[in-house]
Amino acid sequence: MSPSPEPQGQLDTPTDTPGPTSDALAAQDPGPAGGRVRRSRYLAALRTPGGIVGMCLVLLIVLASLIMPLLLPYGPYQQGPNSLLSPGGGHPLGTDEVGRDLLARVVAGTRLDLLITLIAVPVAAVAGTLLGLLSVVNGWLGAFFQRVFDVLLGVPAVILGVAVTIAVAPGTAAVVIAIVLVVMPVFGRQARSSLLGQLPLDYVAAAEVLGYPRRRVMLRHILPNIIDVIIVRFAVEMSHAIMVEGGLSVVGLGIQSPDASLGSMIKSGSGYLLEHPAYALAPVVVVVLLVVGYTLLSNALNQAVLRK
């Protein structure tokens, strides 16, 4: 569907049209009433079977990445005399090609991946939402940023990673920048379409009739009413960011040795699938569990928070 045209500031509503219900008004209210409605919807989302499973998966992986380094006898960089040991004994997942404990490496890689996504996705969400807002306020800038979003969305993540590594050495910074460039246009498009969908509503027309400037209407009235959509998109893009990091590291453009990430471990372990399958399969399992957890959370939020 094509986006709705921007209103011209006239309130053209028939007098005999029934007004919105109290629930609808509360949902549009950015104040305490609207906040209570949103909180109840978030809690309802987390009580669904999908929300419970998704939250448990994500929390389990996060807690494991924080607590297990305190319990493991080996560090992720500590080399031993025995390489490519099978799982067992003091090494539950075995060791890698230089004798490092694979469980410690998987935990360290999970922690680094979570840190990268928790930096990159919020930056992309804020930047993309602000650019989407600006593209609605200013027509010329809107056209410019839409073309920029088109270009970024049309370029594969690996190609963006190559371009980033040309300017920045491969590593954590390059992965963060690449994820921001991949995810930011998605938030920009989402914010723009949601803002355009709010413009024809009565509360926006009433604010414009009262003489509020367009900037205040956007920031104080419309933006709080699209935050639910941004939160749902945030959960989706967290799983997307995990896969982007894994893809970049698998092709050698992401995290570099001796640092560990899930993608770099998959790349290193792929050469030992027959003799040491746990080397590559363990990080794959963690990636799958994270993606499933974030996907279940986003689906639960989409059904409970955005339900009309």
Side-chain angles (χ1 to χ4, degrees):
M1 297 176 62
S2 59
S4 303
E6 295 188 19
Q8 303 301 317
Q10 296 180 357
L11 183 60
D12 188 15
T13 305
T15 55
D16 57 347
T17 301
T21 64
S22 59
D23 289 340
L25 288 173
Q28 290 183 359
D29 178 17
R36 287 193 295 270
V37 171
R38 288 188 176 87
R39 284 192 295 272
S40 65
R41 289 179 177 177
Y42 294 145
L43 292 175
L46 297 179
R47 293 192 187 104
T48 61
I52 293 173
V53 174
M55 180 62 70
C56 288
L57 284 175
V58 174
L59 286 179
L60 179 64
I61 294 174
V62 171
L63 291 176
S65 68
L66 296 175
I67 296 174
M68 288 191 67
L70 304 176
L71 306 177
L72 295 175
Y74 303 102
Y77 307 108
Q78 182 179 347
Q79 299 184 10
N82 300 315
S83 61
L84 297 177
L85 282 178
S86 299
H91 303 280
L93 295 179
T95 59
D96 64 5
E97 67 274 15
V98 293
R100 294 174 297 197
D101 184 71
L102 282 178
L103 180 57
R105 299 281 290 173
V106 170
V107 171
T110 303
R111 189 167 61 250
L112 181 57
D113 277 31
L114 290 172
L115 178 62
I116 288 173
T117 55
L118 287 175
I119 293 173
V121 177
V123 170
V126 173
T129 301
L130 291 178
L131 291 178
L133 174 64
L134 185 60
S135 69
V136 174
V137 174
N138 188 297
W140 183 86
L141 287 177
F144 172 75
F145 285 126
Q146 290 308 303
R147 301 295 77 77
V148 172
F149 291 162
D150 289 340
V151 172
L152 292 176
L153 289 172
V155 178
V158 173
I159 304 300
L160 279 176
V162 172
V164 170
T165 53
I166 292 175
V168 182
T172 304
V175 173
V176 170
I177 295 172
I179 291 175
V180 170
L181 293 177
V182 170
V183 174
M184 181 182 65
V186 180
F187 282 103
R189 284 291 183 84
Q190 182 74 72
R192 176 180 168 82
S193 62
S194 300
L195 286 166
L196 290 174
Q198 294 285 315
L199 287 178
L201 299 183
D202 290 348
Y203 79 97
V204 178
E208 292 183 342
V209 167
L210 291 174
Y212 294 148
R214 174 61 64 88
R215 184 179 305 173
R216 175 176 175 176
V217 173
M218 291 288 181
L219 295 176
R220 297 288 300 276
H221 299 274
I222 300 180
L223 189 58
N225 286 324
I226 67 168
I227 194 66
D228 291 337
V229 180
I230 302 302
I231 290 175
V232 173
R233 176 56 60 181
F234 188 93
V236 175
E237 295 307 316
M238 286 292 287
S239 63
H240 189 193
I242 291 287
M243 292 186 288
V244 169
E245 186 284 322
L248 291 176
S249 295
V250 164
V251 299
L253 300 174
I255 307 302
Q256 304 296 305
S257 183
D259 292 331
S261 75
L262 297 176
S264 63
M265 290 193 65
I266 294 172
K267 177 179 181 294
S268 300
S270 61
Y272 305 98
L273 281 176
L274 295 180
E275 52 192 300
H276 199 342
Y279 193 164
L281 292 181
V284 167
V285 170
V286 178
V287 169
V288 171
L289 291 178
L290 277 175
V291 171
V292 170
Y294 285 130
T295 301
L296 289 175
L297 278 177
S298 65
N299 289 338
L301 289 170
N302 186 50
Q303 294 174 6
V305 175
L306 301 183
R307 185 178 59 231
K308 300 300 182 183

Coordinates of all heavy atoms in Angstrom, one line a residue, residues 40 69 104 109 125 181 184 229 289 305:
S40 N 0.9 -3.2 30.1 CA 0.0 -4.4 30.2 C 0.2 -5.2 29.0 O 0.1 -6.5 29.1 CB -1.4 -3.9 30.4 OG -1.9 -3.3 29.3
P69 N 32.1 -18.0 32.8 CA 33.5 -17.7 32.9 C 34.0 -17.7 34.3 O 35.2 -18.0 34.5 CB 33.6 -16.2 32.4 CG 32.4 -16.1 31.4 CD 31.4 -16.9 32.1
A104 N 35.0 -22.6 26.9 CA 35.4 -21.3 27.2 C 35.3 -20.4 26.0 O 34.9 -19.2 26.1 CB 36.8 -21.3 27.8
G109 N 32.8 -16.1 22.9 CA 32.2 -15.7 21.7 C 30.8 -15.3 21.8 O 30.3 -14.3 21.2
A125 N 18.8 1.7 15.6 CA 17.4 2.0 15.9 C 17.2 3.5 16.1 O 16.2 4.1 15.5 CB 16.9 1.3 17.1
L181 N 24.9 -0.2 9.4 CA 24.5 0.1 8.0 C 23.5 -0.8 7.5 O 22.6 -0.4 6.6 CB 25.8 0.1 7.2 CG 26.8 1.2 7.4 CD1 28.0 1.0 6.5 CD2 26.2 2.6 7.2
M184 N 20.0 0.0 10.1 CA 19.5 1.3 10.1 C 18.4 1.6 9.1 O 17.4 2.2 9.4 CB 20.6 2.3 10.0 CG 20.2 3.8 10.1 SD 21.5 5.0 9.9 CE 22.0 4.6 8.2
V229 N 5.9 -0.2 17.6 CA 6.3 -0.8 16.3 C 7.9 -0.9 16.3 O 8.4 -1.8 15.9 CB 5.8 0.1 15.1 CG1 6.3 -0.5 13.8 CG2 4.3 0.2 15.1
L289 N 19.8 -21.0 18.8 CA 19.0 -20.7 20.0 C 18.7 -19.2 20.2 O 17.6 -18.8 20.5 CB 19.6 -21.2 21.2 CG 19.7 -22.8 21.3 CD1 20.4 -23.2 22.6 CD2 18.3 -23.4 21.3
V305 N 1.3 -6.7 21.5 CA 1.5 -5.3 21.6 C 0.8 -4.5 20.5 O 0.2 -3.5 20.7 CB 3.0 -4.9 21.7 CG1 3.2 -3.4 21.7 CG2 3.6 -5.5 22.9

